[in-house]
Amino acid sequence: MWLANDGNYREMRHFTPWSRPREYDEYHLPRRIQKLQGATHVTFGDAVISTPDTCIGAETCEELFTPDPPHSHMSLDGVEVITNSSGSHFTLRKLDTRLQLIMEATRKNGGIYLYANQQGCDGDRLYYDGCAMILVNGGIIAQGSQFSLNDVEVITATIDLEEVRAYRSAISRGLQAAKSKAKYDRIQTDFELSSEEEDLDLGRGPSPLIQPRYHSVEEEIALCSGCYLWDYLRRCGAAGYLVPLSGGIDSCATATIVYSMCRLVIEAIKAGNNQVIEDVKRLAKYKEGKIPKTPQELCNQLFHTIYMGMSKQSSKETRQRAKDLAEAVGSFHVNLDIDEVYQAQRNLIVSALKFEPKFKVEGGTVAENLMLQNIQARSRMVTAYEFAQILPTTRKRPGGGNLLVLGSANVGESLRGYLTKYDCSSADINPIGSIDKSDLKRFIAWAEKNFNLPCLHEFLTAVPTAELEPIKETYVQSDEVDMGMTYDELTTFGRLRKVHKLGPFGMFQRLAHEWGSDRKRGPDDDAPVHEPRQVAEKVKRFFHFYAINRHKMTTLTPALHCNDYSPDDNRFDLRPFLYPSFWNSWSFKKIDEELEKIEK
């Protein structure tokens, strides 16, 4: 048996894997269970179940993904039905990988594969996306929903076992089966899966093959995040959510995800989901059987937004975009300025140190500029929690309670460290914390049409800006200029660092080819074009800021896990948070040596 023990999983903290393939013990049952079971012992170990009409085996979630999965050996030993009670978490674009593995399991060997998966929030950073399936000889005959607010979903199919036997009749397969030394002990049972009476039912036939159903990335973001937030909210008992809106696309995406949650809830209410109806009555305190009829009505009860502006730094455009979005989704919106809080904190420096700090555009140093920006950022975090605590009371919501604050830092900003520690990136949950900027933009463009929210178009065309420095006629703060790299480049750096396990030198070697101006470009090649020296500068800049900001990951808001290059420090991306300077490192020196050879 193989257990998941990397990435998001630490199963060996609690379990010891069975390490004796195709062996079993007779386990002595406690007396109370003996009376219920009618037996003194039960088989414990690696065996299969034999019925009068077929043979059934089982493998775990992790074993499906291993190079030598048990289903291969079981199939060669005559097992016809493989079951997998899985706990496979969601990531964007993962369903295709999972489905290909299951199809391949029975395409070569023949057989039936029954796949069941957990569904819902696991009480942590993961969402399990269900999608139960039944496959025969490599083809799908039944597929459940991938995202749902239902607690339980059952799918069924009718299968002709003779189809499996016919599929397995190839000579080469029979010779391999005869030669296989992987022989399983069979637990005999008189339980049958079929009956002669059912064979006489002429109205019943084998279930036909169906095409697999996939969601687009945009749909996955809307559905997964919406289901996760609803499951989290109903289980924690808070009064709702609060999102600090900046007028930018990240907080816009978080707000749109909450709106997606409300859409899913209304759909479930209309479908008669009693559990969802009871949860809505409890959370939103609806009385006398009254329940909301539109997502906006539900949003107005559960969802709160707040724009915390500054008179010099905040533009009227971002303020208006936040207001328009709040009106479109129906959230209870607060529009305020934090100038007084900011000035009070700034004046502490003036009075205590006799020093007048200035922004960069006013002639100040880098240290002054960062300090003044961070005062605003951290004041917004405190203000957000202040309003989250009191809004249900001031609105006279029955039961009062408090709101959960949602964060809006995307995965690229976390990797680069382009956020202030303990600012509005500090929240209770972050639905977009492992989603990159490109996917968020696609999601917003999709939601503009599919959710009928025309105001989202303004967010797509706006230049990303933190709005922490004063706006001048010749200067407006820009995220990508501040970072020294684009969001698309950050996504590439993130994938190469985590998924492809490349350090600075390996990343430079690869990107010098993939981003080089001399490469052959295909019609779908939208990667940037850089000279080797530019590639070297960008790779060095990324790793420099990744290293000096890694400490921020230790306090990163728990984020819904959606990507395999998440920088989550809790258990997925276990890295040091104190690095020596990369500028004097072996890898940076090797980049310089390689660059010198290329430029000769």
Side-chain angles (χ1 to χ4, degrees):
M1 173 181 284
W2 302 102
L3 298 179
N5 210 54
D6 60 356
N8 285 298
Y9 299 99
R10 299 290 181 271
E11 291 182 350
M12 291 177 69
R13 289 180 304 174
H14 307 293
F15 304 103
T16 301
W18 185 263
S19 56
R20 292 154 46 198
R22 293 172 295 282
E23 294 183 22
Y24 66 90
D25 291 334
E26 289 295 328
Y27 181 75
H28 199 284
L29 291 170
R31 289 174 183 159
R32 292 177 60 186
I33 299 180
Q34 287 181 25
K35 294 178 180 178
L36 296 172
Q37 191 70 12
T40 58
H41 291 76
V42 66
T43 302
F44 189 97
D46 191 12
V48 296
I49 298 173
S50 179
T51 72
D53 49 6
T54 189
C55 189
I56 304 168
E59 67 180 359
T60 67
C61 170
E62 178 70 8
E63 288 171 332
L64 174 64
F65 289 82
T66 57
D68 187 23
H71 66 250
S72 294
H73 301 289
M74 291 180 187
S75 297
L76 288 174
D77 194 32
V79 175
E80 295 176 329
V81 181
I82 307 293
T83 66
N84 189 328
S85 301
S86 184
S88 181
H89 69 277
F90 166 82
T91 59
L92 293 170
R93 306 172 178 87
K94 180 182 177 181
L95 180 60
D96 181 59
T97 301
R98 187 192 297 157
L99 188 55
Q100 290 301 323
L101 287 169
I102 300 173
M103 293 172 71
E104 192 64 24
T106 57
R107 181 176 286 125
K108 280 187 177 180
N109 297 306
I112 301 159
Y113 205 101
L114 308 180
Y115 179 83
N117 191 26
Q118 194 174 328
Q119 185 161 272
C121 164
D122 73 334
D124 206 320
R125 293 160 171 79
L126 303 181
Y127 178 79
Y128 293 89
D129 55 331
C131 202
M133 287 176 277
I134 302 174
L135 295 91
V136 179
N137 299 336
I140 304 172
I141 59 173
Q143 180 181 359
S145 64
Q146 189 179 1
F147 307 102
S148 171
L149 299 186
N150 295 323
D151 282 341
V152 179
E153 184 176 38
V154 178
I155 61 170
T156 60
T158 302
I159 298 165
D160 185 354
L161 287 170
E162 295 302 326
E163 289 295 321
V164 174
R165 292 155 191 166
Y167 192 89
R168 288 181 171 182
S169 64
I171 297 298
S172 57
R173 189 211 168 275
L175 290 172
Q176 285 193 347
K179 190 177 179 180
S180 174
K181 296 180 180 179
K183 301 301 179 183
Y184 288 82
D185 284 302
R186 280 159 162 74
I187 310 302
Q188 300 296 332
T189 174
D190 58 3
F191 173 79
E192 296 184 54
L193 295 180
S194 59
S195 67
E196 292 183 1
E197 290 78 10
E198 289 177 328
D199 286 342
L200 299 176
D201 183 358
L202 300 182
R204 172 174 292 184
S207 300
L209 292 175
I210 62 172
Q211 290 298 314
R213 296 190 304 272
Y214 297 101
H215 290 287
S216 68
V217 171
E218 299 87 345
E219 290 173 327
E220 286 187 327
I221 293 173
L223 297 172
C224 167
S225 304
C227 289
Y228 176 87
L229 286 183
W230 177 250
D231 214 6
Y232 197 106
L233 184 62
R234 75 186 185 95
R235 289 168 63 181
C236 77
Y241 289 121
L242 180 139
V243 172
L245 288 179
S246 66
I249 199 165
D250 290 336
S251 61
C252 164
T254 300
T256 306
I257 284 170
V258 179
Y259 181 66
S260 175
M261 175 196 81
C262 291
R263 285 173 56 91
L264 288 168
V265 170
I266 295 300
E267 288 174 7
I269 290 173
K270 291 178 179 178
N273 187 318
N274 291 325
Q275 182 62 60
V276 172
I277 292 171
E278 289 305 311
D279 287 332
V280 168
K281 289 180 179 179
R282 174 174 54 86
L283 288 167
K285 307 300 179 187
Y286 288 95
K287 295 182 178 179
E288 300 175 358
K290 180 185 177 183
I291 53 176
K293 292 183 172 56
T294 67
Q296 285 83 356
E297 285 183 38
L298 184 59
C299 270
N300 187 259
Q301 290 291 310
L302 299 179
F303 187 30
H304 304 70
T305 51
I306 181 170
Y307 180 87
M308 297 171 280
M310 289 280 292
S311 57
K312 291 184 179 180
Q313 284 84 318
S314 303
S315 66
K316 62 181 182 180
E317 289 82 8
T318 55
R319 193 183 297 269
Q320 187 62 44
R321 285 200 296 269
K323 181 175 180 291
D324 291 344
L325 177 59
E327 288 179 355
V329 301
S331 67
F332 183 88
H333 186 61
V334 178
N335 181 7
L336 57 82
D337 288 322
I338 59 168
D339 292 75
E340 292 182 11
V341 179
Y342 165 77
Q343 290 297 340
Q345 288 292 324
R346 179 186 178 279
N347 289 339
L348 290 177
I349 300 295
V350 177
S351 60
L353 302 178
K354 311 303 180 193
F355 179 78
E356 286 276 354
K358 298 178 181 178
F359 284 101
K360 179 178 62 179
V361 294
E362 297 169 343
T365 63
V366 171
E368 293 172 63
N369 195 56
L370 284 175
M371 184 207 71
L372 292 173
Q373 290 186 66
N374 289 342
I375 289 175
Q376 301 165 67
R378 291 185 174 120
S379 296
R380 288 190 171 108
M381 185 273 286
V382 174
T383 305
Y385 272 95
E386 178 184 344
F387 276 77
Q389 191 75 56
I390 201 65
L391 269 171
T393 300
T394 60
R395 294 189 65 195
K396 296 181 172 54
R397 285 283 306 279
N402 66 286
L403 307 173
L404 292 177
V405 179
L406 298 183
S408 299
N410 64 61
V411 64
E413 291 170 346
S414 298
L415 274 170
R416 166 61 173 71
Y418 187 65
L419 52 88
T420 300
K421 205 172 186 179
Y422 305 118
D423 68 348
C424 269
S425 65
S426 296
D428 295 308
I429 322 169
N430 185 354
I432 68 167
S434 65
I435 306 177
D436 63 49
K437 197 81 162 186
S438 299
D439 282 342
L440 289 176
K441 284 183 176 179
R442 281 194 284 269
F443 164 62
I444 292 301
W446 174 88
E448 177 191 353
K449 297 178 181 178
N450 289 272
F451 289 175
N452 191 25
L453 297 173
C455 65
L456 296 184
H457 185 74
E458 297 297 322
F459 291 86
L460 288 168
T461 56
V463 176
T465 173
E467 287 198 336
L468 293 172
E469 296 182 74
I471 297 173
K472 303 288 185 180
E473 288 185 7
T474 57
Y475 177 78
V476 177
Q477 189 176 17
S478 166
D479 290 353
E480 293 186 333
V481 173
D482 280 357
M483 293 190 297
M485 58 196 75
T486 67
Y487 280 105
D488 287 341
E489 289 170 349
L490 259 178
T491 297
T492 300
F493 293 145
R495 289 192 182 279
L496 293 180
R497 179 197 71 94
K498 178 67 177 176
V499 180
H500 297 276
K501 299 175 174 58
L502 295 180
F505 182 49
M507 193 178 293
F508 166 73
Q509 287 183 308
R510 178 158 176 167
L511 291 179
H513 292 275
E514 293 187 357
W515 288 356
S517 56
D518 296 332
R519 73 179 189 269
K520 293 181 179 179
R521 305 190 67 181
D524 297 325
D525 184 354
D526 57 357
V529 178
H530 295 307
E531 295 301 320
R533 184 164 293 278
Q534 292 175 294
V535 175
E537 290 172 356
K538 285 181 177 289
V539 169
K540 286 181 177 180
R541 185 180 294 116
F542 168 74
F543 274 99
H544 166 69
F545 283 106
Y546 166 78
I548 66 173
N549 289 310
R550 179 65 193 176
H551 66 96
K552 296 179 181 178
M553 299 304 98
T554 62
T555 60
L556 200 65
T557 295
L560 171 60
H561 183 85
C562 292
N563 260 324
D564 288 332
Y565 63 99
S566 165
D568 168 43
D569 189 76
N570 177 260
R571 63 182 180 185
F572 182 72
D573 191 27
L574 304 179
R575 303 292 179 97
F577 53 85
L578 176 61
Y579 281 92
S581 172
F582 269 109
W583 294 111
N584 298 317
S585 66
W586 174 89
S587 55
F588 275 26
K589 290 176 183 176
K590 290 295 292 182
I591 290 176
D592 292 337
E593 291 174 10
E594 188 90 350
L595 186 60
E596 187 176 344
K597 293 177 185 177
I598 292 172
E599 292 182 338
K600 280 184 178 179

